[in-house]
Amino acid sequence: MTTSKRNLSFDIARAMAIYLVIIGHSMTGLWGTWQSNFVFAANLPVFFIISGYFYHSKKMKDVIQTGINTLLIPFFIVTILYIGLRTIIGEFVQHIHYLNFQTLLPLIYGNGATAHSPFGFDLSSHAGAVWFLPTMFIANIIFHLLMKSNKEFIRFIIVIILFGTGYTLAQYAYFPWSIQAALEVQIYYLFGYWLAKIVKKYSEKKVFTNLPLLIVGLVFWIMSATSGTYELNRGLADNMLMAVLGGIGSAVVLLGIAFFIEKHWQKLANLLSYVGQYSLVLLCIHSMDIGLLDSEIMHFFQSQAWFLKDSLIAYIGLMLARILYTTFFTWILLKIKFIYQLFVDRNFPLKKLQ
């Protein structure tokens, strides 16, 4: 299969994953249910698995430079913009003082949830969905370092040690840039790398249309959802073994669906591949959305008499609306060259060193 065709399926999988992120964050009143667990089991592991799938050896300076341009700079832009807007809304609309140490802390700490830090203070504000960006920056570096070993068994042992370290840290506190999660997700990177080797041996078609494999993946996904919650940003789960198996199984299922869409629904494939290509930009826009509007939206819903009776319809409507306007705003903003460079260009603002 050609590179472009191969990438199309994986972009479609990324699109489905980012839409699952949006859906999950729109299920505020359903958190902790098996439906919410089903979504959160799948919406992020696939990104790490795909990164491992397309791993190729690079100089560490190139890994860092690309990560700064495509992950850290978007994180800082979105977080600064969010804090600025919340401050303006607080001062002129809500008449409260929003800006303080706690509200500024996520800009440096990169936490995606309120929690306790290992440094003796609580994290009462968070960076929203963009916590994922600095975490992936760290995770990419760690994976490229561990891949310097040429022995598969040694790599596996290192990943198990890193996973155990991350899980242990997560029991204690929430570390900067979700380092505990960055350590744990190495298992997804390694699975993605192994999956690429299997595909190279047997072909994408034989792997991603393998019905028994897809059924096993779906079973793991469902079992993960029924075993409890999975908070990847914290590195915590009610049943960590099932959470990891669910993350892997859901990725296999999403890739199988993506492969089917690419082969049979070309127009949908083209649309989703665009979304997947710019999925991290969608994540940034979505993070602003939930940070600024989520509490107001939920307050509006809960104040309506019909909400209790028709809450499922309301949630579905909210999910669809968010998917549509997040996609639309992404398309509009990426028409602006400077914004495209800031959020997408791997060689901007830092140029690749020769």
Side-chain angles (χ1 to χ4, degrees), residues 13 62 66 93 97 103 138 204 238 241 251:
D62 292 336
T66 299
V93 178
H97 297 292
T103 55
I138 296 295
E204 280 190 351
D238 291 332
L241 174 61

Side-chain angles (χ1 to χ4, degrees), residues 41-306:
N43 59 8
L44 292 179
V46 67
F47 286 102
F48 301 112
I49 288 171
I50 290 175
S51 292
Y53 186 96
F54 287 112
Y55 165 82
H56 62 275
S57 181
K58 293 192 291 187
K59 294 178 180 179
M60 185 53 64
K61 65 180 181 180
D62 292 336
V63 175
I64 294 172
Q65 176 254 328
T66 299
I68 290 173
N69 284 343
T70 61
L71 297 171
L72 292 190
I73 288 177
F75 166 77
F76 286 119
I77 290 172
V78 171
T79 307
I80 290 170
L81 183 60
Y82 170 72
I83 292 173
L85 289 174
R86 281 298 303 266
T87 300
I88 292 170
I89 292 171
E91 293 289 343
F92 297 102
V93 178
Q94 300 171 329
H95 304 293
I96 59 173
H97 297 292
Y98 177 78
L99 202 61
N100 55 53
F101 171 75
Q102 278 292 337
T103 55
L104 284 172
L105 192 57
L107 179 62
I108 304 300
Y109 210 92
N111 54 302
T114 56
H116 182 71
S117 79
F119 309 110
F121 55 83
D122 289 329
L123 304 165
S124 59
S125 296
H126 59 82
V130 289
W131 70 268
F132 176 84
L133 302 178
T135 302
M136 194 169 201
F137 174 78
I138 296 295
N140 284 342
I141 292 173
I142 294 172
F143 189 67
H144 277 78
L145 286 173
L146 77 86
M147 289 298 287
K148 290 185 179 297
S149 171
N150 294 322
K151 296 182 178 180
E152 289 290 348
F153 181 72
I154 298 298
R155 290 170 177 170
F156 177 72
I157 293 299
I158 293 173
V159 165
I160 295 301
I161 293 172
L162 292 175
F163 184 90
T165 302
Y167 182 73
T168 302
L169 292 176
Q171 309 304 308
Y172 174 63
Y174 196 122
F175 285 77
W177 290 14
S178 297
I179 292 173
Q180 70 282 355
L183 294 172
E184 289 181 5
V185 299
Q186 297 306 309
I187 200 165
Y188 294 133
Y189 280 88
L190 189 62
F191 173 79
Y193 176 75
W194 286 347
L195 182 63
K197 296 180 74 170
I198 294 171
V199 166
K200 185 177 180 180
K201 182 177 181 179
Y202 294 104
S203 82
E204 280 190 351
K205 183 176 181 181
K206 287 185 178 179
V207 174
F208 297 133
T209 62
N210 186 305
L211 188 58
L213 178 63
L214 295 175
I215 291 174
V216 170
L218 181 59
V219 169
F220 281 153
W221 189 357
I222 293 171
M223 290 176 64
S224 173
T226 56
S227 70
T229 59
Y230 184 22
E231 296 180 87
L232 196 152
N233 68 328
R234 298 178 187 270
L236 297 173
D238 291 332
N239 185 326
M240 184 57 79
L241 174 61
M242 286 312 309
V244 171
L245 290 176
I248 291 172
S250 62
V252 170
V253 172
L254 290 178
L255 288 167
I257 295 171
F259 189 84
F260 179 86
I261 291 173
E262 179 190 357
K263 295 303 177 186
H264 299 283
W265 296 333
Q266 194 58 52
K267 289 184 178 180
L268 179 60
N270 291 336
L271 172 62
L272 290 178
S273 65
Y274 174 87
V275 172
Q277 183 180 356
Y278 302 116
S279 55
L280 294 185
V281 183
L282 268 81
L283 178 71
C284 292
I285 295 173
H286 171 63
S287 186
M288 294 290 293
D289 171 28
I290 59 172
L292 296 172
L293 300 178
D294 195 59
S295 60
E296 285 73 18
I297 290 172
M298 291 311 303
H299 177 74
F300 169 77
F301 277 161
Q302 291 165 358
S303 67
Q304 304 302 305
W306 53 264

